[in-house]
């Protein structure tokens, strides 16, 4: 149980880091941030290091390394060292350096997105729940600090925004607060939508399983009924034959 909980927490952390990377790369392409400047470069390099360790540790522990490499292409794309390659190309005076850097970062964006999609494809309801809570709490903290309101108020704002209710009684006025709102709208609402969809699917499958079980039981009873009728028929035939023999005597 402890190992399973540790694994869940680890997977959720990896997913959150992937989400942060996706948001940063999208902001970079939108020219909202300079990912090579402080503090974004530290965040980007830190996340990159985590994914590098994760990838190569999993590769070393894999029984079939060829199959691991084949089925984890997105993981490999997510660890492309864009900053290091950019430095190498610049030192080597290779033309189109900045365009190549954007290409490498685009590949990383594809890698993170694919890895995140794979994560949700192979995991269950609990991950949607944990990440939804994490996104709400993180954006609430950002809102709390930037807007100088209590965390309770910020949490109220985050929950109402994520659930698309948005009463409008609390609104962001600072750039960071608006950034938190954008993250919450893009990620939080999506995850909560997936969460509710997964819950609906769970109960639908549960009802389907219950109905299937009931049909199997009815089918078994039907077979048993046919068997009993055949047995009764055989007994009647045998009894009739016996009566006929007795009458002949």
């Amino acid at each position: 149980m402890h190992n399973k909980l540790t694994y869940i927490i680890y997977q959720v952390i990896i997913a959150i880091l992937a989400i942060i990377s996706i948001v940063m790369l999208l902001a970079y392409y939108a020219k909202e941030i300079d990912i090579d400047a402080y503090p974004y470069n530290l965040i980007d390099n830190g996340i990159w290091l985590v994914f590098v360790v994760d990838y190569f540790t999993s590769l070393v522990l894999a029984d079939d390394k060829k199959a691991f490499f084949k089925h984890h292409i997105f993981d490999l794309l997510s660890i492309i060292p864009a900053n290091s390659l950019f430095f190498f190309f610049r030192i080597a005076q290779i033309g189109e350096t900045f365009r190549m850097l954007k290409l490498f970062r685009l590949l990383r964006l594809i890698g993170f997105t694919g890895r995140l999609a794979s994560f949700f494809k192979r995991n269950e309801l609990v991950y949607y729940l944990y990440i939804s809570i994490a996104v709400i709490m993180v954006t609430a903290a950002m809102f709390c600090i930037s807007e100088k309101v209590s965390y309770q108020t910020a949490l109220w704002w985050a929950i109402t925004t994520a659930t698309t209710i948005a009463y409008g009684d609390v609104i962001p006025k600072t750039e960071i607060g608006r950034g938190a709102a954008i993250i919450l709208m893009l990620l939080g609402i999506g995850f909560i939508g997936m969460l509710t969809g997964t819950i609906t699917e769970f109960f639908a499958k549960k009802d389907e399983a219950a109905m299937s079980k009931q049909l199997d039981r009815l089918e078994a009873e039907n077979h048993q009924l046919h068997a009993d009728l055949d047995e009764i028929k055989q007994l009647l035939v045998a009894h009739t034959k016996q009566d006929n023999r007795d009458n002949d005597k």
Side-chain angles (χ1 to χ4, degrees), residues 120 123-129 190-205:
F120 287 115
N123 291 299
E124 298 176 355
L125 172 67
V126 64
Y127 297 109
Y128 292 110
L129 178 61
F191 283 125
I192 288 179
M194 287 188 288
L195 176 63
T196 54
T198 305
I199 292 173
T200 303
E201 184 181 359
F202 171 77
F203 284 108
K205 286 184 177 179

Side-chain angles (χ1 to χ4, degrees), residues 14 34 73 89 101 168 227 231:
I14 291 294
D34 181 3
I73 297 298
F89 290 142
L101 176 63
E231 185 178 354

Side-chain angles (χ1 to χ4, degrees), residues 3 26 29 35 46 69 73 90-91 101 113 117 121-122 134 148 150 152 160 166 188 194 199 210 220 223 240 248:
N3 291 336
L26 289 174
Y29 279 103
I35 206 169
F69 177 81
I73 297 298
R90 188 168 58 182
I91 294 298
L101 176 63
T113 306
K121 185 177 180 180
R122 67 174 179 265
K148 294 181 173 57
S150 66
Q152 291 87 344
T160 55
M194 287 188 288
I199 292 173
H223 282 304
T240 302
D248 290 340

